[in-house]
Amino acid sequence: MSPSASQNTPSRPTRLRRSVLSVPAINRRALDKLSSLDCDAVIFDLEDSVSPEKKAEARENLRAFFAATPLPGKERIIRINALSSNFGAEDLALVAELEPDAVLLPKVDEPQDVMLVGDRLAEADASENLRIWAMIETPRGILNAASIAEAGRTSGSRLDCLVVGLNDLRKETGVLPQPGRAYLVPWLMQVILAVSAYGLEAIDSVFNDFKDAEAFEAECGQGRSMGFAGKMLIHPSQIEAANRHFGPDAAAIAEAEAIIAAFADPGADALNVVNLGGRMVERLHLVQAERLVHKARLIAQRASGVAAASRTEA
Ligand code: COA
Ligand code: MG
């Protein structure tokens, strides 16, 4: 039997996470906008964008929003406050009640932070489909990224995705914001290495200056080149560029289809390398090509769903 690319593909389902928009759960006007936005995922924030005196109201907003507004095709993630804070336990109880796709843990320093939330969710009988995402945004989080990702893959763990948070990391380390993020790149790549070693995905940090489209484009391009699956966003105006940079373009799709066709040729059955128009292509590229084409299909399906939804609304 010929070796199949899918044998090497991790069992993790392919998900679109090009644009992951954060929304303060206290902001009802912004929540109301979500159905009309073309982001792949939404982070409902109960943490740093909500003041201590508004935490309870923010939780009520989410309860009402989840009851009234399905967001088909979008992953829904609730960012909670640390369990060690005054708010974490109630936030996690809300997560267990609402069962979003994932809970996002802030300021994860070590594997135990993830395991503890996993235990609490199990005690609350939360669905096994409820995943954990972890913010890597502290010096210890960066130093421990590999062990966090590794522990997250042990049986029973729900860890699915690491999200880099550079605002906190800059604050803790004194690294200044700078085009090109030269001093941060080694740490960002450490996170990429950690997720790649353990079959997870990483999302690049937010870009604060949402009026500076040019600098945002540059940072999206850089994040994509580094291997991030997508970018955490703070404003709707950032969605289109993130979708474009982190989604496969037409040339990449055409190339992936050519690779799949080359290996589908009966003559290539026993080959691990083929000549594709003067370029060596290995069977390992077939795995990447299949994943890319699958992503392109998901994007096309989403686009037709969004078009149908806007026709219905009109
Ligand atoms: N999600 C959904 N809608 C949003 C949004 C978001 N993150 N940010 C802004 N909007 C909406 C606004 O409500 C506004 O809607 P309207 O036209 O119906 O009034 C529209 O987009 C334009 O917004 P704008 O006036 O340009 O910005 P703003 O002053 O309302 O908000 C921020 C600017 C930065 C305060 C806001 O974008 C925000 O809170 N972003 C997320 C912050 C966050 O989540 N931080 C934690 C993670 S770092
Ligand atoms: Mg943070």
Side-chain angles (χ1 to χ4, degrees):
M1 200 179 81
S2 68
S4 148
S6 57
Q7 282 171 358
N8 299 323
T9 309
S11 55
R12 172 169 55 80
T14 307
R15 292 209 170 89
L16 295 178
R17 290 172 176 160
R18 301 164 298 170
S19 47
V20 181
L21 178 66
S22 176
V23 188
I26 195 62
N27 187 342
R28 281 200 286 265
R29 198 176 167 95
L31 291 172
D32 285 343
K33 270 200 126 55
L34 292 173
S35 301
S36 67
L37 299 177
D38 189 24
C39 51
D40 289 335
V42 175
I43 293 172
F44 299 92
D45 187 29
L46 291 168
E47 200 222 8
D48 279 350
S49 70
V50 180
S51 65
E53 53 279 10
K54 293 282 187 183
K55 301 283 188 195
E57 186 183 332
R59 281 188 216 110
E60 278 318 306
N61 282 350
L62 290 192
R63 209 170 255 124
F65 183 85
F66 272 65
T69 321
L71 291 176
K74 292 184 176 73
E75 268 189 291
R76 297 176 307 170
I77 302 104
I78 297 180
R79 184 165 81 169
I80 62 171
N81 292 277
L83 280 193
S84 57
S85 74
N86 290 337
F87 313 108
E90 269 187 85
D91 290 351
L92 196 60
L94 181 74
V95 166
E97 176 191 326
L98 299 183
E99 300 212 323
D101 294 288
V103 55
L104 174 57
L105 313 182
K107 303 177 182 67
V108 168
D109 276 333
E110 54 190 9
Q112 287 78 352
D113 297 338
V114 174
M115 307 316 270
L116 178 66
V117 170
D119 290 348
R120 293 276 188 279
L121 288 174
E123 284 161 22
D125 274 335
S127 155
E128 285 187 7
N129 295 330
L130 202 168
R131 316 307 299 167
I132 295 176
W133 291 22
M135 298 268 340
I136 303 295
E137 53 184 344
T138 62
R140 289 182 64 207
I142 296 284
L143 287 170
N144 293 330
S147 56
I148 291 166
E150 181 183 16
R153 294 307 284 172
T154 57
S155 73
S157 167
R158 301 164 185 258
L159 190 66
D160 205 28
C161 190
L162 301 185
V163 184
V164 178
L166 290 183
N167 284 331
D168 277 289
L169 197 60
R170 285 194 187 100
K171 185 179 105 212
E172 296 295 319
T173 59
V175 173
L176 298 176
Q178 195 185 38
R181 302 189 287 187
Y183 299 110
L184 295 166
V185 165
W187 300 341
L188 294 170
M189 292 312 299
Q190 213 158 301
V191 174
I192 292 292
L193 211 51
V195 294
S196 308
Y198 299 105
L200 308 175
E201 280 185 330
I203 305 297
D204 197 2
S205 176
V206 296
F207 181 79
N208 298 336
D209 193 356
F210 62 86
K211 296 269 189 223
D212 190 344
E214 199 179 322
F216 181 68
E217 292 269 349
E219 200 168 285
C220 283
Q222 184 200 34
R224 172 68 194 89
S225 305
M226 285 193 279
F228 284 101
K231 197 158 176 67
M232 184 169 167
L233 311 177
I234 52 161
H235 194 275
S237 62
Q238 298 179 321
I239 295 172
E240 187 277 328
N243 283 349
R244 183 160 32 80
H245 280 279
F246 291 94
D249 62 23
I253 296 168
E255 184 183 313
E257 283 169 345
I259 292 172
I260 293 169
F263 278 105
D265 188 303
D269 248 12
L271 296 179
N272 262 19
V273 250
V274 295
N275 173 349
L276 191 67
R279 198 163 55 86
M280 179 189 78
V281 176
E282 294 183 75
R283 198 164 278 278
L284 65 93
H285 295 121
L286 177 57
V287 179
Q288 281 175 311
E290 287 181 335
R291 203 174 283 156
L292 189 141
V293 166
H294 183 59
K295 258 192 182 173
R297 255 184 233 131
L298 290 178
I299 293 166
Q301 278 166 13
R302 260 271 309 277
S304 58
V306 169
S310 58
R311 274 199 303 277
T312 320
E313 275 169 24

